[in-house]
Amino acid sequence: MKYVAWIVLLYPLLFSDAVLGNTLDQQRNDFLQAEKLLAQGNDATFMRASAALINYPLYPYLQYQWLKENLHQDDQVLSFLAAYKSTRYAGLLRSKWLDYLAKNERWSDFVRYYEATENTALECQYNLAIYKTGNRQQAINEAKRLWITGDSLPQECDPLVSELVMSPSFTRELIWQRFELALHKDNISVAEYVRRLMDGSDQNIADIWLRVHQKPALIGDNDILSPQMGRLFAHGIHRLAKSDLNTAVRFWDDKKHAFQIDDQTILQLERSLALSLAHSRSPEAYSRLSQLPAVDVEVNEWKVRAALLEQNWQHIAEALSGLTAQERQDPKWQYWLARSLEKAGDSLQAQNVYAKLAEDRSFYGFLAADNVHKPYQFSNKPVLLAENELEQLASEADFKVVRELNLLNREQEAERQWWYAVKKLSKERRMVAAKLAQQWHKDQIAISTLVKADYWDDLGLRFPVYYSAQVQNNASLHNLDPAIVFGLIRQESIFNKNAESAVGARGLMQVMPKTGMQIARDLKEKWQSDNSLFNPDVNVRYGAFYYKQLLRQFNGHFALAIAAYNAGSGRVAKWLPIAASVPADIWIETIPYKETRKYVTSVLSYAIIYQQLMQRKALKIKELMHDVLPG
């Protein structure tokens, strides 16, 4: 077997240049045949077949596939790691080989060949190897760091944790740290595991923690908590706030002085309650946030939003002044600065701020432009390429691998390889890579690559106009502006017709199968299957129909319908004002969910950009921003 394995490295020397110079088409076919031989376990024939592919871009991938099943071949593994150290497959193979070394307790070899990684399992195995080879205290110190988490650790960490638990360094404080972290993450299984490591008296206290965690209203029972249980009381308040915020705030204000609670825990809970009040649009939010020190960006920004909820322009101005100088330069806060100046009667200064902001291609820039009656600015500056720059990048080894994987329909593997390759590039070369992805019709990847290049002004790349017939036809059918449908598609899937979210939404407009089935019934169509939503004709028809339904539900209010498309109509209904109308810009800025807030502003601004690309002037962003009426 050792002789056969060496063929991997020696066989190419036996082949002539003519044999090695087969066309790429032939090499692709030979690659697929070699994979079949590998799957059949026919090693000798596989070696001969793969050796003929030495100059094929996927040769390292092919050898990796063999080596990961033959990790006992130390010499071959080390030769591969040396020969192909610049490839993605070297890192993948090293991880698998190190795991093999650990399982076979080859600790000295593990320490010798380990390279720093963010893989927790390998970190644990490395520190166990350090322990086994004599550096025990160093290993225990690292074990303590890894231990302090509210998450489950990989099973590879079990032996290292066992050594920690048996050491003098495993203290009561360490046990309680992880127990509390686990409960803060609602990770009951980890908390119960940690509880079993406590002594009897601490286990009894932990049982009370677990009861309060499951039924936080128990903090109102004076017989359960003693004054020394301040952290438990704070945890119960935090849990209760998720289901009954007003009661949690009342309990906290009434009882916090009866418990021994450290200053950091008090500050963390005051912050959490104040933010929760702001998210729930409580009139108490601004007052609570104002009592906090300027501890972080989130608190400072929600103080502005809480003042916006009050529509108290003096408070808004005060909250804006509490932002850092850098934060105040953000277009959204520049917009609210102009609005507050306008309300304070300083119209000249307000107009100056609006005029400067109107140069920005963003939701807030477009709003500012409408305020000063200026045309929208788009700053379309396509990436400029030198002659043959795309060809040069495409000819590099990493990108040749991507190209071959794409041609073999290994899309997931190709995407992983793409990001491995892009990570090595400078920002300037990432711009070139974005154009290469566009040339290869990988628009979602092209757009994301341009983001990593921190370049935003190539509108043709960032905002493709695909599936125009489906968009135009369905927009016309439902009396929708096609620019808004394009904006929804751009935000939902970046024009990837095969996109699928973690929760199962599918296709260009990310329609859920359950929603699709209902729409098919409404349209009196036969429902084909969940996969029919990957068909652009079906998906855009159903997505446009669904958005039109939301528009009707929310009285033709574009921003509300867009918010409902993302967060659901039930949530949006809960966010409607109770007593009086609210300006749409304030309503959008105070949406509790950051994702939905960004979603609404993105879709609205994308709609304006798409109408520019379509050479239309029908939409003004203020026309999409009518006051939000009480629900």
Side-chain angles (χ1 to χ4, degrees), residues 343-574:
K343 289 290 184 178
D346 192 347
S347 58
L348 181 60
Q349 184 61 21
Q351 293 293 301
N352 290 337
V353 177
Y354 278 138
K356 184 177 180 182
L357 181 56
E359 301 298 317
D360 193 63
R361 186 188 62 244
S362 69
F363 172 72
Y364 299 96
F366 296 152
L367 280 177
D370 281 353
N371 270 285
V372 290
H373 308 292
K374 291 184 67 173
Y376 298 143
Q377 298 299 307
F378 294 98
S379 302
N380 186 16
K381 299 174 185 175
V383 173
L384 297 178
L385 298 172
E387 186 177 0
N388 298 326
E389 204 165 4
L390 286 182
E391 291 80 0
Q392 289 171 6
L393 186 65
S395 68
E396 293 184 6
D398 282 336
F399 291 94
K400 283 184 176 180
V401 173
V402 175
R403 185 65 170 160
E404 288 303 308
L405 289 167
N406 277 326
L407 289 169
L408 291 170
N409 296 316
R410 311 283 176 92
E411 292 190 1
Q412 188 176 56
E413 187 70 14
E415 187 168 343
R416 290 170 179 157
Q417 173 67 21
W418 177 270
W419 294 121
Y420 173 83
V422 166
K423 190 175 182 179
K424 300 179 183 180
L425 302 179
S426 66
K427 283 188 176 182
E428 290 73 21
R429 298 201 75 213
R430 287 176 184 179
M431 291 161 63
V432 180
K435 299 298 280 188
L436 181 62
Q438 183 187 33
Q439 186 184 76
W440 288 353
H441 304 294
K442 299 293 180 182
D443 295 282
Q444 188 176 30
I445 290 174
I447 293 166
S448 299
T449 303
L450 202 62
V451 170
K452 290 186 180 296
D454 198 23
Y455 189 77
W456 310 94
D457 292 336
D458 191 329
L459 299 191
L461 188 153
R462 291 188 60 217
F463 298 96
V465 185
Y466 296 140
Y467 308 104
S468 183
Q470 291 92 334
V471 170
Q472 297 280 1
N473 291 340
N474 286 286
S476 176
L477 181 64
H478 298 295
N479 195 28
L480 297 171
D481 193 298
I484 291 180
V485 180
F486 273 121
L488 284 165
I489 293 173
R490 170 62 173 77
Q491 178 63 28
E492 286 287 347
S493 67
I494 319 183
F495 289 86
N496 178 4
K497 67 183 179 70
N498 296 316
E500 184 172 5
S501 75
V503 296
R506 300 182 177 209
L508 292 171
M509 297 188 74
Q510 290 290 276
V511 179
M512 291 291 291
K514 185 177 179 181
T515 304
M517 291 175 68
Q518 181 58 53
I519 292 170
R521 283 194 290 270
D522 292 341
L523 294 174
K524 297 181 171 52
E525 293 182 358
K526 183 180 179 182
W527 173 250
Q528 299 296 324
S529 69
D530 292 359
N531 285 340
S532 67
L533 294 172
F534 293 127
N535 180 336
D537 293 332
V538 174
N539 193 280
V540 178
R541 183 163 70 251
Y542 287 7
F545 178 87
Y546 181 55
Y547 180 67
K548 184 66 175 185
Q549 282 186 318
L550 294 172
L551 265 180
R552 290 194 190 101
Q553 181 177 347
F554 291 102
N555 300 314
H557 200 297
F558 292 96
L560 295 183
I562 290 168
Y565 200 98
N566 174 256
S569 56
R571 288 195 182 97
V572 172
K574 290 179 182 177

Side-chain angles (χ1 to χ4, degrees), residues 143-198:
K144 286 163 63 177
R145 176 182 61 81
L146 292 163
W147 165 268
I148 301 172
T149 175
D151 297 316
S152 299
L153 289 169
Q155 64 179 12
E156 290 86 352
C157 294
D158 291 350
L160 180 67
V161 168
S162 294
E163 299 294 353
L164 172 63
V165 169
M166 297 298 293
S167 76
S169 298
F170 192 63
T171 62
R172 180 174 182 266
E173 181 185 7
L174 271 180
I175 295 171
W176 276 104
Q177 271 186 285
R178 190 167 185 200
F179 180 81
E180 289 189 37
L181 285 171
L183 287 185
H184 280 302
K185 289 205 166 186
D186 198 22
N187 199 331
I188 301 296
S189 60
V190 171
E192 289 177 338
Y193 155 72
V194 175
R195 174 198 170 277
R196 292 194 291 272
L197 300 175
M198 298 176 178

Side-chain angles (χ1 to χ4, degrees), residues 302-348:
W302 271 102
K303 188 176 175 182
V304 181
R305 294 191 179 102
L308 287 168
L309 282 167
E310 297 178 337
Q311 295 190 56
N312 183 321
W313 292 97
Q314 182 180 345
H315 285 172
I316 292 166
E318 291 171 358
L320 287 167
S321 68
L323 299 172
T324 66
Q326 183 176 357
E327 288 165 0
R328 284 197 295 272
Q329 294 310 305
D330 188 296
K332 65 174 170 282
W333 304 129
Q334 284 292 296
Y335 173 76
W336 290 112
L337 172 62
R339 286 271 269 134
S340 65
L341 289 168
E342 196 172 35
K343 289 290 184 178
D346 192 347
S347 58
L348 181 60

